Amino acid sequence: MGQGAVDADLTAQIAERVRAAYAQGTPLAIVGGGSKLWLGRRVEGEPLEIGGHRGVVRYEPSELILSARAGTPLAEIEALLAAHGQCLPFEPPHYAAGATLGGTVACNLSGPARPYRGACRDYVLGVRIVDGQGEVLRFGGEVMKNVAGYDLARLMAGAQGTLGVLLEISLKVLPRPQAELTLALELDAARALAQFNAWAAQPLPITAAAHVGERAYVRLAGAEAAVRAARLKLGGEELADGAAFWRSLRELTHGFFSAAGSLWRLALPPATPVEQGLHQCLDWGGGLRWVLSEAPLWDHAAARGGHATCYRGGRTAVFQPLPPALLALHQRLKRALDPARLLNPGRLYPEL
Amino acid sequence: MSASHDPQRREALIRGLGEILPPDAVLYEHEDLRPYECDGLSAYRRLPLAVALPSTRAQVAAILRLCHRLAVPVVARGAGTGLSGGALPLTDGLLLSLARLNRILAIDPTARIARVEPGVRNLAVSEAARPYGLYYAPDPSSQIACTIGGNVAENAGGVHCLKYGLTVHNVLRLTVLTVEGEELVFGSEALDAPGYDLLALTIGSEGLLGVVVEASLRLLPLPERQQVVLAAFDEVGRAAAAVGAIIAAGIVPAGLEMMDNLAIRAAEDYVHAGYPVEAAAILLVELDGTNAEVSEQVMQVRELLLACGATEVRTARDEAERELMWKGRKAAFPAVGRISPDYYCMDGTIPRGRLPEVLAGIAALSREYGLPVANVFHAGDGNLHPLILYDANRPGELERTEELGRKILELCVAAGGTVTGEHGVGVEKLDAMCVQFTAPELARFHAVKHAFDPAGLLNPGKAVPSLARCAEFGAMHVHRGQLRHAELPRF
Ligand SMILES: Cc1cc2nc3c(=O)[nH]c(=O)nc-3n(C[C@H](O)[C@H](O)[C@H](O)COP(=O)(O)OP(=O)(O)OC[C@H]3O[C@@H](n4cnc5c(N)ncnc54)[C@H](O)[C@@H]3O)c2cc1C
């Protein structure tokens, strides 16, 4: 399957596979585009390919809602939205060609706009899934507000397929900003961080703020007039190809990431002081710190009220260990939706 | 045997509470319990065994441990403004009021976070943040009274959630006590947290999964300028079409509200907002942002509204007029309360494009049942609030009203919508849930509840109907002619 270009609804086949696996107790490793296999622990299981289950099911630009099958390539969705002057405001990273919508939502991945526009999970309105017993279930819907039943749709975002195989996802989408530009300012990391936090407390049309090397980068986006006014206020020089810069940061292809060593992603309260002596860059207005470090950073992140993910260089532990009581609750939830522990077992934590 | 019929258990509960709380914080005399017999949905009333009014987190934990030991169900309550019976007491249960946990623990202007206890009123957060040029975006019309704990439990929205999101988009972290009194932290003051999104799961869970004792809320900068445009229409369908036209033009207003003639008249009589009382419908369009941006968008929106057939378009001349225009909208429920002995507020949400047809359907149902319906709602989100006007003292009228309400919700589900956008299921929409979800879906909800609260003591019987109830109601989608998961207990 994988990159078949023909839209197809494989709901029945996928559900049947999971039912058979449930009958036989066979663990399944869910594969979309394979672009994020490394972003999790190794899963021992029969591959369950989702790539063929693809196609945009409904898209009403005036409703600001798009529903698509999980195997639909992210690039295809973004192109369709762009053709209608709209976008996924959380600008998800792809990490490789062939990234699917399902994998994006399963990993809850969001790009530089995250602090200003919201995360992937914030835009999830509804899902259709196959749970661990092969049952096809629908949670949430195609409306902006919905509090009927627990929010199991949003729960799927970031669960990495361990609570259900995503079949279809409905997302809120937004108009693309009319105008957009990126400013570069000569600032050290500590001063940049202070600026980012100060700016975020003011009504400015900022949609991204990062610090790499010795420069701070700020993206302004919105109505023409608002961007123009803010540009004067912030100063700095305009980057010729701002979009390319943000893409390189989002996709981890910027020069910073080419240095050898383990790559750590730290999500910290955005005002956390910049640690001296770390090889790092800042995204998310300071809320995200990419650090190259051979020493594990679990305790470092936890002590600062955040958490770490080992993005590169760790296959046994990728995600921040959970406190025992919270882990126990995770295990009970896993049992509620995947009682035989067949869906991506161990991908998040060995116990799940 | 339930505690209400078990005097010993009742006594043990009251004695146990007396060891945890000062005397003024334990209520059990009939007349003291009365104020807690219902929430904003006053058609349902019940007295609990007792009411506890703790003022610290440690007291809440001790109370939960006590109830867990005695197997007494617990219903949490904030301000009791809920509109679906979520805080309706159980006759054999304890009513746990969080109203005295009402401290704002910190406002951090640098991190733009407010850390608050659950009993803090929604509006109090924005008031405390204002000196720093910040505010808390979700603004339910009940914001002067309702609490953050109640907002979290219902995933409350407000007139500004079209642009700024619901409670779930604006809460960063929750400290929650399990039914065993164990403290857990969901979410983080960082922008994400490891593991499952238990924060999202808890928000909107109607007090069935845990008791919220602290919340970290995201604060936003106050916009440089806010402007409201009022447009009048001589036909409801035209107003509904204008809503779609604004969104389709790539404008996301901060708020986009609609009122029909009945609601306009009631609100005008009540607060004298200067609404055009002859109009079939009005739209209130709020635009916010920088000065230049707002000026640009006001022009654009005016033109769009006129092109859609608005008979009058007005822009608030100053802040006082803007506030007055909103006051009419925010007072619409109580205003309708003045013109009818009783009203019943529905909360269905539909895809925006179906507004004209669903509004027409509601009008037809209103005629069929002979009960007036006023519409005042969050048009930009497609979140309807039909208010059915009735008189509970007329025999049979409440029953007819409830039936009409159910028909309206079925109309919403048939249009691809949901039975509740922001008020929650509570006790009120249990049957409607049977229409929206299949048996296996409901079974998963119960399984999730079980993962958090194996003993089933937190607000039992609310939010998710038992499979047995749905089977009886007859509307359940029974798959392949049989009830799946017959082995599951019928909660
Ligand atoms: C005039 C009027 C206008 C309204 N307008 C809106 C509106 O615009 N938007 C909107 O969304 N709602 C609106 N509502 C509904 C209501 O105000 C909201 O649902 C509000 O969030 C309820 O808050 P509360 O503190 O009153 O909660 P309560 O009614 O006391 O409780 C609501 C639910 O929350 C649970 N709960 C309370 N505190 C906690 C806690 N600490 N931990 C766990 N569970 C808890 C209760 O058990 C119950 O299930 C309106 C109501 C009225 C009367």
Side-chain angles (χ1 to χ4, degrees):
Chain A
M1 279 186 274
Q3 283 300 294
V6 185
D7 288 353
D9 179 355
L10 305 184
T11 301
Q13 289 90 322
I14 294 170
E16 191 46 50
R17 273 289 304 279
V18 179
R19 270 198 293 276
Y22 182 62
Q24 287 145 24
T26 316
L28 296 170
I30 309 163
V31 186
S35 64
K36 293 156 195 97
L37 278 178
W38 49 273
L39 186 51
R41 301 176 69 258
R42 251 176 86 86
V43 176
E44 303 294 342
E46 255 178 36
L48 174 63
E49 304 259 1
I50 305 298
H53 180 65
R54 48 165 289 165
V56 172
V57 179
R58 228 173 339 276
Y59 173 42
E60 301 268 355
S62 70
E63 293 283 336
L64 302 180
I65 290 174
L66 177 142
S67 296
R69 297 192 187 104
T72 314
L74 193 52
E76 196 175 305
I77 290 172
E78 288 174 333
L80 175 67
L81 290 168
H84 290 85
Q86 297 187 337
C87 66
L88 298 175
F90 54 97
E91 45 177 358
H94 292 227
Y95 291 147
T100 61
L101 177 64
T104 301
V105 172
C107 295
N108 185 31
L109 289 174
S110 315
R114 160 67 184 99
Y116 311 96
R117 294 297 197 78
C120 174
R121 62 83 107 159
D122 291 317
Y123 289 86
V124 172
L125 298 175
V127 297
R128 200 180 285 278
I129 63 164
V130 181
D131 79 349
Q133 298 180 70
E135 196 87 56
V136 178
L137 308 166
R138 180 177 184 259
F139 298 110
E142 290 185 310
V143 289
M144 295 289 171
K145 293 164 88 175
N146 190 351
V147 291
Y150 304 121
D151 196 347
L152 297 190
R154 239 179 270 282
L155 181 66
M156 294 299 145
Q160 296 230 3
T162 61
L163 297 177
V165 183
L166 286 164
L167 286 179
E168 188 181 314
I169 299 134
S170 300
L171 294 172
K172 175 176 175 173
V173 300
L174 284 180
R176 269 155 84 104
Q178 272 173 14
E180 191 168 287
L181 63 85
T182 298
L183 298 173
L185 299 99
E186 305 293 330
L187 286 175
D188 64 30
R191 287 197 10 248
L193 181 70
Q195 260 320 336
F196 295 162
N197 281 298
W199 283 334
Q202 295 167 36
L204 291 165
I206 294 177
T207 63
H211 186 273
V212 193
E214 285 310 308
R215 296 177 101 187
Y217 300 84
V218 181
R219 183 174 63 194
L220 301 171
E224 236 14 285
V227 169
R228 233 177 2 238
R231 196 231 170 291
L232 290 175
K233 189 163 173 179
L234 265 52
E237 73 181 75
E238 198 173 325
L239 222 59
D241 193 353
F245 169 77
W246 295 110
R247 201 178 317 117
S248 73
L249 193 60
R250 187 187 76 193
E251 300 295 341
L252 312 182
T253 53
H254 187 281
F256 170 86
F257 300 98
S258 59
S262 296
L263 177 65
W264 293 81
R265 172 196 187 272
L266 306 188
L268 301 179
T272 309
V274 174
E275 201 75 20
Q276 297 305 315
L278 286 182
H279 187 42
Q280 65 179 324
C281 73
L282 276 55
D283 193 2
W284 291 10
L288 193 61
R289 322 251 166 123
W290 296 102
V291 183
L292 290 158
S293 162
E294 287 318 317
L297 294 177
W298 311 120
D299 295 341
H300 175 98
R304 286 157 184 78
H307 70 101
T309 310
C310 187
Y311 247 59
R312 194 169 71 202
R315 274 300 258 189
T316 47
V318 175
F319 302 102
Q320 181 88 23
L322 300 173
L326 204 55
L327 179 62
L329 179 56
H330 275 65
Q331 288 174 292
R332 293 197 300 272
L333 256 183
K334 169 80 170 166
R335 226 171 291 141
L337 294 167
D338 178 19
R341 227 179 131 254
L342 301 178
L343 304 178
N344 274 355
R347 177 152 170 127
L348 280 177
Y349 295 101
E351 299 86 353
L352 296 181
Chain B
M1 189 159 62
S2 75
S4 57
H5 308 123
D6 179 351
Q8 270 176 1
R9 191 140 54 131
R10 178 175 180 273
E11 230 168 79
L13 175 69
I14 291 168
R15 197 171 345 102
L17 290 171
E19 287 162 15
I20 300 166
L21 299 168
D24 77 321
V26 187
L27 311 177
Y28 49 87
E29 298 293 352
H30 197 269
E31 61 272 28
D32 295 334
L33 300 177
R34 274 267 166 247
Y36 297 92
E37 67 181 353
C38 66
D39 63 5
L41 181 69
S42 55
Y44 297 79
R45 293 167 197 266
R46 265 185 225 146
L47 291 183
L49 279 184
V51 174
L53 295 152
S55 42
T56 69
R57 181 188 303 194
Q59 288 172 346
V60 178
I63 292 166
L64 288 169
R65 280 193 295 271
L66 172 73
C67 289
H68 191 244
R69 183 161 53 77
L70 297 175
V72 171
V74 180
V75 177
R77 177 183 169 108
T81 67
L83 291 172
S84 55
L88 178 73
L90 298 172
T91 47
D92 61 346
L94 174 73
L95 188 92
L96 176 63
S97 167
L98 282 310
R100 290 188 185 173
L101 272 84
N102 61 357
R103 281 157 291 237
I104 294 180
L105 302 171
I107 301 277
D108 181 341
T110 311
R112 291 150 278 120
I113 288 172
R115 217 166 289 139
V116 304
E117 290 187 330
V120 168
R121 290 173 307 110
N122 173 294
L123 188 60
V125 180
S126 286
E127 283 169 352
R130 180 174 287 274
Y132 306 99
L134 302 169
Y135 77 112
Y136 177 60
D139 58 343
S141 303
S142 51
Q143 69 183 149
I144 45 171
C146 66
T147 66
I148 293 300
N151 290 173
V152 166
E154 304 289 8
N155 190 16
V159 300
H160 288 100
C161 59
L162 178 59
K163 184 165 174 184
Y164 297 105
L166 307 159
T167 300
V168 71
H169 302 108
N170 290 280
V171 174
L172 294 166
R173 186 178 75 179
L174 292 173
T175 306
V176 172
L177 296 179
T178 67
V179 67
E180 289 96 356
E182 184 165 32
E183 191 171 303
L184 297 173
V185 175
F186 301 157
S188 162
E189 289 186 2
L191 285 169
D192 50 33
Y196 296 145
D197 195 340
L198 302 180
L199 183 67
L201 189 59
T202 307
I203 295 173
S205 65
E206 303 194 22
L208 271 76
L209 302 184
V211 175
V212 175
V213 291
E214 188 184 311
S216 297
L217 311 174
R218 187 169 79 113
L219 301 175
L220 296 179
L222 286 162
E224 193 173 290
R225 182 168 159 215
Q226 294 168 298
Q227 182 61 275
V228 64
V229 179
L230 182 155
F233 293 84
D234 55 16
E235 203 191 291
V236 174
R238 284 215 187 99
V243 171
I246 292 172
I247 306 276
I251 297 169
V252 181
L256 182 41
E257 300 280 307
M258 180 159 154
M259 296 167 77
D260 71 5
N261 184 265
L262 197 49
I264 296 168
R265 283 177 186 275
E268 186 56 26
D269 279 351
Y270 186 31
V271 304
H272 311 294
Y275 290 163
V277 292
E278 298 304 322
I282 59 169
L283 289 182
L284 291 168
V285 189
E286 177 142 297
L287 300 161
D288 71 2
T290 64
N291 225 328
E293 186 177 14
V294 172
S295 300
E296 215 174 271
Q297 292 193 336
V298 166
M299 294 307 295
Q300 243 180 313
V301 165
R302 282 182 64 94
E303 273 165 34
L304 279 166
L305 290 166
L306 289 168
C308 289
T311 52
E312 184 196 346
V313 179
R314 228 194 267 170
T315 307
R317 271 161 309 196
D318 50 30
E319 186 54 23
E321 190 174 352
R322 187 185 83 88
E323 273 174 19
L324 193 59
M325 284 184 183
W326 278 120
K327 191 171 168 198
R329 164 60 187 92
K330 291 207 174 182
F333 288 12
V336 167
R338 290 170 74 239
I339 60 167
S340 173
D342 300 282
Y343 71 86
Y344 183 40
C345 173
M346 313 304 301
D347 179 40
T349 302
I350 56 166
R352 206 168 16 230
R354 311 285 295 267
L355 273 176
E357 113 202 33
V358 171
L359 288 175
I362 292 173
L365 282 169
S366 161
R367 281 192 299 275
E368 184 187 328
Y369 280 79
L371 293 166
V373 174
N375 282 293
V376 38
F377 62 97
H378 313 299
D381 300 308
N383 184 195
L384 303 172
H385 288 324
L387 302 173
I388 306 172
L389 278 52
Y390 74 102
D391 182 349
N393 287 329
R394 282 204 211 117
E397 199 153 303
L398 174 61
E399 291 68 29
R400 269 219 330 286
T401 300
E402 287 186 320
E403 193 182 313
L404 170 55
R406 218 156 40 228
K407 285 268 157 63
I408 292 176
L409 293 186
E410 284 170 20
L411 200 62
C412 293
V413 174
T418 176
V419 297
T420 173
E422 59 180 17
H423 294 168
V425 173
V427 291
E428 179 211 11
K429 301 180 200 84
L430 287 168
D431 290 338
M433 286 286 284
C434 306
V435 179
Q436 189 169 332
F437 291 98
T438 65
E441 287 157 358
L442 293 171
R444 297 314 181 277
F445 288 149
H446 287 300
V448 167
K449 161 78 170 162
H450 191 77
F452 279 78
D453 174 20
L457 290 175
L458 289 176
N459 219 0
K462 310 275 183 74
V464 186
S466 69
L467 300 184
R469 180 186 179 124
C470 287
E472 222 163 273
F473 178 64
M476 181 108 104
H477 306 240
V478 178
H479 281 249
R480 300 172 201 102
Q482 65 188 49
L483 202 62
R484 300 289 301 255
H485 304 286
E487 77 286 0
L488 284 173
R490 295 294 123 107
F491 300 86

